[in-house]
Amino acid sequence: MKVLVIGGGAREHALCRSLSLDPDVTALHCAPGNAGIAEVAEVHEVDALDGGAVADLAARLAADLVVVGPEAPLVAGVADAVRARGIPVFGPSAQAARLEGSKAFAKDVMAAAGVPTARSYVCTTPEEADAALDAFGAPYVVKDDGLAAGKGVVVTGDADAARAHARACDRVVIEEFLDGPEVSLFAVTDGETVVPLQPAQDFKRAHDGDQGPNTGGMGAYSPLPWADPQLVDEVLRTVLQPTVDEMRRRGTPFSGLLYAGLAITSRGIRVIEFNARFGDPETQVVLARLRTPLAGLLHAAATGTLAAHPPLRWSDGAAVTVVIAARDYPAAPRTGDPIGGLDAVAAQDAPDAYVLHAGTRRDASGAVLSAGGRVLSVTATGADLATARERAYRAVGRITLDGSQHRTDIAAKAAADA
């Protein structure tokens, strides 16, 4: 099977790494890729938001499967353009990707499907936003209705900060604060059958102890030893399947990866948000534990044959990923700094720990430089969370990047309590 992955972040590197280990994959391509992806896939230049260009590339490569990684190309209709050329594609249509592209739309779908979520108001004027903030009170939860690269949500006890964020957005969803731990659960679907993956937990705040600004994610771990063993079955029954059924009822079936961000509240499970693609950094740990070959699973979803796919197989162990971010991330990340220690991790920590590239590039001499806010994800596996965590941080310690930052508490509490 010839596979083309669209994107160039750590999520796509994780996908490419898993696909490269699949014996059914005979050729692996990625566009636009990054410095790390180029080590496991043939990289091509393409505008990932240009559906015609992506479809042309897929046709030229005679791809048997196209996997669209990031949310922006999905919302822009790239999957539609590829699908129109008769090429199987893993990723929802632009209409279905509105589950992530518009939080107001997602709320409407959840209401119609009876999916439990936070009470909310959709606001388009400062007056409406002020009234909603007053109705719910602190802590305030203000979400930009559109795509915001994982940084469109403000959760704060400061009313002025909440109002400022609301005014900076054309349209916002203001909702009640949900108590309890958060869980990320992915599901692969072909629009009818829904196959949940293993849950993970990520860490959105920039600094230890869940302090600092919201980010795209600073680390993750899986499995969740503290979670109810029935969690996945309950979410499949009350959230994932009803949502997929409702999208199909509307004439816009959702096929691809449905991501449910959940809060385990004192009143039960509540959906925080939906994403229309694999999440970063949770993908890194979920795929590290998946033993079922990835290409066949994604192809089954893309071709409507998921019901016939064998049950998924998982490692009994654990996985932890730690994100290394650039200096001054997320406000104004510095780029262009050389990265060292990558060869040392490959030589001394593999296969138990490895580096997935996100914001990187190579200069003319071949040196790897930082090229984004979240630069690398260091992922490790082990028999348990404590072992995986120790291996991940040992590998992190070998990486050099001037001014870089990372959290030191990823999976710490879960490992200590396990």
Side-chain angles (χ1 to χ4, degrees), residues 54-68:
V54 171
D56 287 344
L57 175 62
R60 188 165 66 250
L61 297 173
D64 300 301
L65 174 67
V66 175
V67 180
V68 183

Side-chain angles (χ1 to χ4, degrees), residues 27-55:
L28 181 59
H29 304 268
C30 186
N34 62 36
I37 292 173
E39 297 176 3
V40 295
E42 183 178 347
V43 170
H44 306 265
E45 286 294 327
V46 77
D47 179 354
L49 296 176
D50 185 336
V54 171

Side-chain angles (χ1 to χ4, degrees), residues 360-379:
T360 67
R361 65 177 178 87
R362 289 190 186 273
D363 66 11
S365 70
V368 180
L369 307 179
S370 62
R374 291 186 297 166
V375 181
L376 304 168
S377 288
V378 178
T379 302

